Amino acid sequence: MKPSHKLLFVLCLVLVLGYIYYSSGKLHLHVWGQKPQIELEPTLIVLNISQRPTEVDLEPTLIVLSEGQRPTELEADIALTVGQTVGSAYDKQGFLQKLDGKLPAELGRQYVNLTEGMCRPGYAAGMMTAIYPKFMKPAPMFLDRNFKRLAKVSNYLPPFGFKTQENIIDNILTTTKYYGLGQDLDGLNCKKCVIVGNGGILSNKSLGPRIDDYDVVVRLNEAPVNGFSKDVGTKTTMRITYPEGAMQKSESYEKDSLFVFSAFKPLDFKWLKHMVYNEKLRVTEGFWKSVARHVPRKPKEMRILNPYFIQEAAFQFIGLPLNNGLMGKGNIPTLGTVAITMALHNCDEVAVAGFGYDMNKPYLPLHYYEKVKMSAIKESWTHNISKEKEFLRKLVKAKVIADLTNGI
Ligand SMILES: *[C@@H]1O[C@H](CO)[C@@H](O)[C@H](O)[C@H]1NC(C)=O
Ligand SMILES: *[C@@H]1O[C@H](CO)[C@@H](O)[C@H](O)[C@H]1NC(C)=O
Ligand SMILES: *[C@@H]1O[C@H](CO)[C@@H](O)[C@H](O)[C@H]1NC(C)=O
């Protein structure tokens, strides 16, 4: 072979191998990627109840749901796609209208031998699926080196995905090296998680010991533990935060907790890289308030929260405006709801504390650690608190999550 032919041959080989590698990646997407889109004609529909339909084997059948009958996942899915006519048992978001909090029979059978208070495997996901049949549990908590396979987030810009940030994330993850909760927690076959919100509603309830009893304690932003442990506990498994929300004083960080980063804009990843490499942060333009300049955590104690939870909370659970998949007015869920969404996918039981406000008592503090009153609450441009609360209420009413402070 002439050298130029040889070169051409090698080039072709590389292209072919590259393509095979690329398509194998695509195939993996479906592990927890987008469900195949099923194009349905309007009105009556479709399907053979015994199996999940694929594009090729849809068969017209009519589903009639009688009141009180719990539809199978598939029926519900279709009913949702068709619209409100067939699936009147479901609301616009796809949640069952009638939420009674009853344990589905199959879960009841599974838990028959558990003593009261023991961790019930699969409880949160099972209860969620009962009221929201579209729920698909698998969604990793943190990004790992295979993050590009996560189909649902690869096509969205932050905060709903990681598009345009792949290289910097790759770089960060190479250094952080760890992508789970740690051996002990990852090894549990049943995990109870509590998300501790920052609400003043936590004050004077002495819930600390109860919170510490959970396997995983999630705290948000700068919410302190020191000085408040009677009410909020002492344990912190992870603290989820973003640049403007992160604690600015190094001494405020508790030992042995994971620093979990949640990005809301592309610039946030750049900030994280500086924190991971302990580099001096020179430019702080683009942040909406001052940001932490140093995070006293080793790279192996840092994680990147899967942005899927922001996307799913916003567009599927709460029903915020899609805005072409871009951040816009009132379409960003609060970090607390993002954390709950993460827990629904990754914990067997989920509880929350410190969520919600009692608007009838505007003199109470907004946060448990500040004097700011609730009446100071401002109309938020980014969040839609009332729509978000509707979603959280469904979870509490259906007993998918337990609300330890009864604020939701
Ligand atoms: C519950 O315990 C009984 C008696 O030990 C046993 O026969 C049964 O299989 C157990 N059920 C489950 C679901 O583990
Ligand atoms: C909690 O108790 C302390 C001391 O009794 C009191 O000063 C404070 O106002 C209480 N806070 C709330 C929110 O009730
Ligand atoms: C929240 O959602 C409601 C209902 O969709 C809408 O009327 C309201 O304007 C939204 N608020 C914000 C801040 O976007």
Side-chain angles (χ1 to χ4, degrees), residues 160-383:
F160 306 114
F162 52 70
K163 196 172 166 184
T164 69
Q165 302 300 307
E166 292 86 349
N167 290 343
I168 196 166
I169 294 174
D170 239 343
N171 182 314
I172 291 167
L173 293 179
T174 310
T175 301
T176 61
K177 289 198 180 70
Y178 293 86
Y179 317 107
L181 285 175
Q183 238 169 18
D184 293 348
L185 289 172
D186 290 336
L188 290 179
N189 67 7
C190 193
K191 274 196 287 293
K192 284 181 157 193
C193 306
V194 62
I195 318 296
V196 184
N198 302 353
I201 197 164
L202 271 164
S203 294
N204 294 350
K205 292 208 164 69
S206 302
L207 279 174
R210 233 177 121 194
I211 288 170
D212 283 343
D213 252 0
Y214 282 80
D215 302 301
V216 174
V217 179
V218 180
R219 299 186 197 274
L220 309 170
N221 288 328
E222 80 280 9
V225 172
N226 283 340
F228 301 92
S229 55
K230 184 168 135 288
D231 290 329
V232 306
T234 55
K235 180 173 172 177
T236 305
T237 312
M238 71 175 88
R239 193 174 271 286
I240 308 180
T241 191
Y242 46 86
E244 294 90 344
M247 298 192 286
Q248 301 200 8
K249 289 192 194 131
S250 290
E251 60 273 21
S252 308
Y253 286 79
E254 55 279 276
K255 289 200 175 59
D256 306 321
S257 75
L258 292 175
F259 177 85
V260 176
F261 166 82
S262 177
F264 284 89
K265 50 192 181 308
L267 182 63
D268 293 355
F269 282 104
K270 212 165 161 184
W271 175 86
L272 179 64
K273 184 163 171 274
H274 279 77
M275 297 304 115
V276 169
Y277 289 99
N278 212 352
E279 291 165 348
K280 198 168 163 136
L281 193 69
R282 289 208 177 76
V283 186
T284 54
E285 284 146 42
F287 296 109
W288 49 269
K289 62 177 213 172
S290 67
V291 296
R293 286 164 175 275
H294 172 64
V295 172
R297 299 261 72 117
K298 298 191 192 89
K300 66 174 190 183
E301 298 163 326
M302 295 182 169
R303 303 285 184 273
I304 301 177
L305 191 72
N306 185 349
Y308 178 62
F309 306 124
I310 298 182
Q311 182 188 129
E312 186 181 45
F315 305 140
Q316 317 229 5
F317 293 168
I318 312 175
L320 298 175
L322 183 60
N323 191 36
N324 289 321
L326 301 173
M327 184 191 263
K329 183 174 184 298
N331 80 346
I332 309 296
T334 61
L335 199 56
T337 294
V338 173
I340 293 172
T341 303
M342 175 275 278
L344 291 177
H345 288 277
N346 290 284
C347 302
D348 294 275
E349 289 194 33
V350 180
V352 301
F355 279 71
Y357 319 100
D358 185 348
M359 282 306 178
N360 296 321
K361 296 181 185 162
Y363 49 87
L364 290 180
L366 182 60
H367 295 141
Y368 68 80
Y369 49 88
E370 290 177 335
K371 295 243 151 63
V372 181
K373 298 269 188 291
M374 220 152 34
S375 44
I377 211 169
K378 285 191 227 84
E379 217 9 70
S380 167
W381 189 84
T382 42
H383 305 308

Side-chain angles (χ1 to χ4, degrees), residues 65 71 76-77 79-99 131-134 315-319 387 390-395 397:
L65 294 177
D77 229 335
L80 287 170
T81 320
V82 176
Q84 305 301 298
T85 38
V86 185
S88 60
Y90 293 88
D91 68 15
K92 224 167 51 215
Q93 246 22 78
F95 286 89
L96 203 62
Q97 302 267 16
K98 264 186 159 166
L99 304 173
I131 63 160
Y132 184 81
K134 280 193 291 184
F315 305 140
Q316 317 229 5
F317 293 168
I318 312 175
K387 283 206 81 157
E390 272 173 40
F391 159 60
L392 296 180
R393 279 222 173 100
K394 292 176 202 170
L395 296 187
K397 190 158 180 231

Side-chain angles (χ1 to χ4, degrees), residues 107 122-130 132 135 137 343-345 347-348 400:
L107 285 183
Y123 175 85
M127 295 297 274
M128 183 67 174
T129 307
Y132 184 81
F135 187 70
K137 185 163 186 270
L344 291 177
H345 288 277
C347 302
D348 294 275
V400 177

